[in-house]
Amino acid sequence: MTSLAKPLARPHAEEHEDPREHLMHDPLPRGKMNEMVMEAMHETNWKFWVVTGILAVLVATCLGYAWYYLIDKGLGVAGVNMPVFWGIFLVDVVFWIGISHAGTFISAILRVLKVESRRPFTRAAELMTTFGLVQAAISVFMHMGRVWLSYWMAPIPNERMIWPDFHSPLMWDFMAISTYLLCSTMYLFLPLIPDMAMARDRSTGWRKTLYKILGLGFRGTEGEWKNLTTAMNLFAFAIIPVMFSVHTIVSWDFAMASRPGWSSTVFGPYFVIGALHSGMAAVAIVLFLLRSTMKHYKYFIRPEHFDTIGMLMLLVSMAWAYFYFNDYIVPWYGGDVWDKLFQEWAEKGPLWYLWYTMLFCNIVVPWSILWNKKWRRTPWLLASAGILINVGMWLERYIIIPEGLTINRMPFTWRLYIPGVEIALTVGMFALFLLLYMLASRVIPLIPVWEVQEGQEAHLLRKIGKAEIPTLSELE
Amino acid sequence: MSQQFSRRDFLKLAGLGAATTAVLTGCGPSSRYVKREPYQQMPEYNAIGQSTYYATTCRECAAGCGLILRTFQGRALKVEGNANHPLNLGKTCARGQATLQGLYNPDRVTDPVKRASRGSDSTQPMDWDTAVQTVADALTNYKPNEIAFLMGTAPDHLFDLVTDLANAAGMNAPIRFGALSMFEARATLSKAAESLFGQAGMPSFDLGGADVVVSFGANFLETWLSPVSYTREYARMRRGNPKQRGYFIQFESRMSQTASKADEWIPLRPGTEGLVALALGRLVAEAKGGSLPRAFSGVDPAEVAAAADVSLETLEHVAHMIVSAHTPIAVPGGSALGQSNGQTVAEAVLALNALVENVGKSGGVFLSPLSPNQDAYHQPASAKEMQDFVNQMASGKFKVLFIHGVNPVFELPKSIDFKGALSGVEQVISFATFPDETALEADYVFPDHQGLESWGYQRVVTGTSQQVISGAQPVVTPYFNTRATADVLIAAAQLAGGKFAATLPFKDEVEFLNSKVSALMGEADGSFTAPDPVTFMAYFQQYGGWWNKSDVRVSAGNSNPLNRNIAGIEADFVGSGEYFFLPFVSPSLAETGANKPTLQELPDPTTTVMWNTWIEMNPETAKELGIENDDVVKVVSDTGEVEASVYLYPAIRPDVIAMPFGQGHTAYGQFAAGRGVNPSDLLGAHFNEAGDLAFAGTKVTIQKTGKKRQLSRKEGLIGVYEFRPE
Amino acid sequence: MIKKFFAWLKQPLGLIAVGIVFLALFSAAVYGIYTTQQSPEQPIQFPHKTHVAFGIQCLYCHPGANKGPAAGLPSQTKCWGCHNQIVKTRDSALLAPLKDAVLSGQSIQWVPVAMVPDFVQFNHRAHIAAGKNCEDCHGDLSQMTIYENPQVLNMGWCINCHKQSAGDDQALLTKLTDCGTCHY
Amino acid sequence: MSTNLELPMFTNNSEAELGGRWGMVIDKDLCTGCQACVAACSMENNVPFVGEEDAGYGRSMQWIRIERLWEGLDGDYREVKMTDYQPLMCQQCHNAPCEPVCPVYASVHSMSEDLNLQVYNRCVGTRYCANNCPYQARVFNWRDYADYRETNTADNDPRWSVFQNQLNPDVTVRRRGVMEKCTFCIQRIHQAENQAKAEGREVRDGEFTTACAQACPANAIVFGRIDDPESMVSLAAETSRGSRLHEELRTMPRVTYLAGGA
């Protein structure tokens, strides 16, 4: 990690490279940069609206109508049955929470570790956290048999002497997700304030009103900056344990249950790593999409950033592989008959191909692509690897949840799960995620301009002098 | 400004709070849409909010189990067994439990109707006066010998009424039939008993007192004769004696539900049951020493073992079990009797009992006692008699046919063309409760009450050593515009006048019932005594029947049943196919269950299939034919063909194909119609010596269709067959 | 447009409008609760207070209360049995529905007022056995014509009383606050 | 607005009171798999039917299922043996895995009866309890199976509602999205207890029984008080043939299975 933390600390080792390849060494005037970001936000062509329209229709039908249908008819329209009481909804919950992890991880950990190359893409990642959590929460609600009573999970004082049960891992989940949603939204918002202020000064009409509200009257005085930096640093440190705890708690939904294949002590770290695995990959995809669709973003998002993410992906993939086989070998060696049957079922059952696809996507793909620096720096290749990794991680959750539920201690009941309306709802959720992201790209700058400028200025300072002048972030 | 905002906030909060409270308190203005109706006049035996319990008799099969019905505010809620009833001692089977769904069923015939044309769905509702007049006209407009009655095996009081009517008026004697009696081969059993013991009657097997039970295809835990009492006796055999657990051996080519409870299931080649019984007899007789009885002298155990595809060691082992047992018993039944040599099989097995000298003893065979108001054993019509009846119908001998409580269009094999023969009958009047296939072919349907709305009694034919007449009374008022058939006949007889009126000089069904039952008042040994007929009848309904207190075990009249030849012939099989076809009665559906959704959804005990028909096939056979689970195959016999999904059943001989009877209705309500297939379509008109249908005497071929139709199973295939934990 | 609307909302007129909307919502909610607590339209405006004033015990007409779950409605013949003998009521126009019902054999369609939802298994007998009086839950019927609920019959109300009845008896408290006591 | 967390139902079950209250003994040697208990249970407890397709997909609602497995499947068909039928309903564990996982206390332990309760009106349908039940004894209302209202009909047949005449008023009719399971016929328990209380006595052994035990023709199911050492169920559970399902999980079920011939 320390080597990652100082990518520019040894520029001489890569002297043959054009120093302008690095964003930090390729500064533009501040006004120009601000204009670029604003332009990317404002200029919307017809393709954007076509895609938005399609997504909106998808959301309305696949999510809105399908969910109405699900509530009206009951969960029978989904594929869940006995013994697979949890289906794709829960797969989606874990998946989206996993996705939401990378935002915080990239932003907070890299901020804490002062990694310079994080600067342009923290916002995009943080936004992913918030929107991913929205999807996760929706999935939880869709999963419930009587969603209209879901407020019973909240500890509302009442005269009936009934509380939610704090023994229940689902309760912890509920708490963890809401905490995380709150924290990550605030963590998204804090670095957004200067940019909102910047946008406020450069826009008119309803946007001006909006940015006026969101900018909280930020004017950029010394005191404001100081407070903001303090707040951001505090949040960056504080949100890391929250992030780790959330996915650990999600894993406890499974690890606390007494089911073969679930009751595993390694699930906590394993799920966190799995979340990072899919989250990193998702960041790669999102960066690729932003870079290729948003005007001027090729300037901000460069191969060096893909390189950073690619290295992280490789590292996380290796860690994931370690945990996966740890989780695999222990029951295999431990010899519990039900655990073994579950493994046998996943590998040799009718859905054996899912297991192999998962391993291929999660291990073979990253290991064969990401070791090469040149390939790492190829955005489309990294994005493709990201898509495959996400497919693999989704399958991993699919194997744990619906496939794992097939195998229980009552062999008489073992039955396959065939998804029903969940498929439409999952498609709808992906559409909603994209739609939210696209709409957000119209109202908030997806590049934290001030952070980039801050970095560039620090590096400019450094280039002027002959002596070793430390970077701004090292000064902090 | 801020003050105003806070006021608005306050209002907002207050409004929200009120609305939430309204929703959350569950105040549900729905209470405003409910109406409560008080009793017009409260029945004196009712208490508000309390359930009332009535004793009655189950009509889901002819066994005659006593029920206690829990009723609440005029609705029947729950079937419970009558704990005092000697047949079932408070227990019920699944079909008895579901009889409520026959009562409260949307598909019942709600009014008397006239059918536009036979087989058509369009009907014209009538009023009951016209209906009664129609029956009266039918009685008077035709010569008595042109009128025929076809009745089910339940209820007995109606049969008695019709018998009286027919006898007095010179009509054809009513004939009774039922799918269960056909598949139980009752005629075979009683004729075998007669030929061996010299006395007709239904043999009863005291399993509870036996310590080794050797059953030849008898499915006594499923539908055979009286499943509830036999299941109880089975339990007594197993655990009744704390010192020794009874041992149970079943010879059957397929592991039926009964066989699945056996300690040893010995699959033999179909048709060799008689030979095996004789061979066992010889081995037992030899082991016991003394002279070899004539009955067993003609067989060679080694040859029999080869013919039956059972090892000689197995036979010797079974013989050893019998010899060393204290009270062994052999039971014939099920498919063993449904062969061309069924009566021989029954005789051979009964002879085995005679050999071990258990006839008339505890733990042995005895003839079931006759019911109190019965002078001779009446068995239901055998299939052969039904064929004769059908032939008479086709030839136009009958001008009027009354049908009650039986569905021959569905139950009889297609080759005995009941439906076609109906065209020879001018007027068909059905008293069906349900719009079944036969009612669909009737000109008029004058619906009878469902069993729980009816008066009556049922004689207990077998299953207990006491003489039992089981009483039925309505537990609820009729739900639809139906009328008791006995009432209709009595009213019609009054209208018809003459001999008819003289035979049935009753006000209604209840009066007829009294006349039949109150004669028992004088019996000293009865379960209750009463000073006068009114009290007697009140007790009769209250206790759910009358029975005598002491056991009546009728033992054989013939002193030496073994001194005779039993021809150990092998059964003949009809058809050119290579697979033995073995239809069996579905334990949950049987005759009358298919219209009840709860019974449709009860898993079959052995295969756990629900809601449909399946074809049982050994996985080896299927592999040879390239068939997998749920593949639809066509089963073809000489007389018909049916298509159904395959269940790969591991415990069946590879040369046997089995199918449950009970599905395949084309009418009979929304839960039965169009569901599954009827195996009796495959059966030809082949009979055994006693005239019972040789239903297990057919050979069939299997053809693949290339289609697949998923069977609904309660079991998961994965855990039960594929990834089995060791 | 939206901006204008919000600006308008801040004006006194707008505030009044907002106030009216919320008042309407609030009163609708209050009315909703109010209606459920009011006596509904009944086929016969049955005067409980008159009957109580005559000294008729509750259990005379609702005899199920100390025997089983439901207190029950009196059968029509029971009503008519008395009213038939009182000349004044025999031909009273107010009791015409009762007379019609008795003579025609139809049932009077009473609207239940004290109702618990289907998932609550309420048993009168246990409450009577525990020493509760009718008026503890149903209020003072000598003041009512048609019955109306004196309080909201909801779970908080039930539990509250259960807790008070149990007092310091832990075993009784366990029993009386057990979910399975009322819900199954 | 009292929220006293120290109420008994919120405290954890300790192992101090292992005695239990109601229990069941099922003799697998006697069970003939006849399904009478299943039918009786469905009729007593308003268990709806679900139709062919849903039933085949593992959604049938019966609170009891009769399991059977095979032995010797790999050998000759003569060697194939069916295991004993095993009627399986909620085992009413003392340490029930279904209880702590419910976020809303819908799956809760009845401390007064020592039974597992499923409070239908509290259930929000997370189905976690069903996942965590080692016996897979819980069933879920995937659709409105029991909705026999006239406006909500099968094939728009208004007579559909005829079925509702049979519903037991002592048992809640469940709607979609709710978990349910065997209750040991708690309505009968309460009725017997009320009756006994009114008569000033304890509930007598054999005074009442569950619907399944009542129907069982083989008398394979015995129900009663297990805290009374003289009761039929206690005596039956004492034998050496008794065992409980998945005892290794320490769920302490209240159902004892008797197996084997001896």
Side-chain angles (χ1 to χ4, degrees), chain B residues 539-624:
Chain B
Y539 281 158
F540 184 75
Q541 306 302 353
Q542 185 186 341
Y543 291 120
W546 183 96
W547 43 90
N548 58 7
K549 283 184 280 192
S550 55
D551 283 3
V552 183
R553 287 171 195 259
V554 186
S555 93
N558 191 344
S559 57
N560 191 359
L562 295 180
N563 190 18
R564 61 198 294 277
N565 276 326
I566 298 173
I569 46 161
E570 272 193 70
D572 296 328
F573 286 87
V574 186
S576 51
E578 51 193 316
Y579 299 105
F580 297 104
F581 181 64
L582 178 61
F584 59 97
V585 183
S586 157
S588 48
L589 300 181
E591 278 174 357
T592 56
N595 56 356
K596 303 178 182 73
T598 291
L599 288 181
Q600 285 275 8
E601 199 157 298
L602 278 191
D604 174 73
T606 51
T607 59
T608 77
V609 176
M610 299 168 275
W611 287 99
N612 220 311
T613 304
W614 66 96
I615 293 171
E616 274 172 33
M617 191 186 278
N618 191 297
E620 269 176 53
T621 316
K623 207 169 163 189
E624 272 169 35

Side-chain angles (χ1 to χ4, degrees), chain D residues 6-22:
Chain D
E6 294 310 309
L7 280 171
M9 65 173 166
F10 298 113
T11 55
N12 204 1
N13 338 327
S14 68
E15 300 199 3
E17 34 167 339
L18 274 180
R21 192 168 161 86
W22 303 102

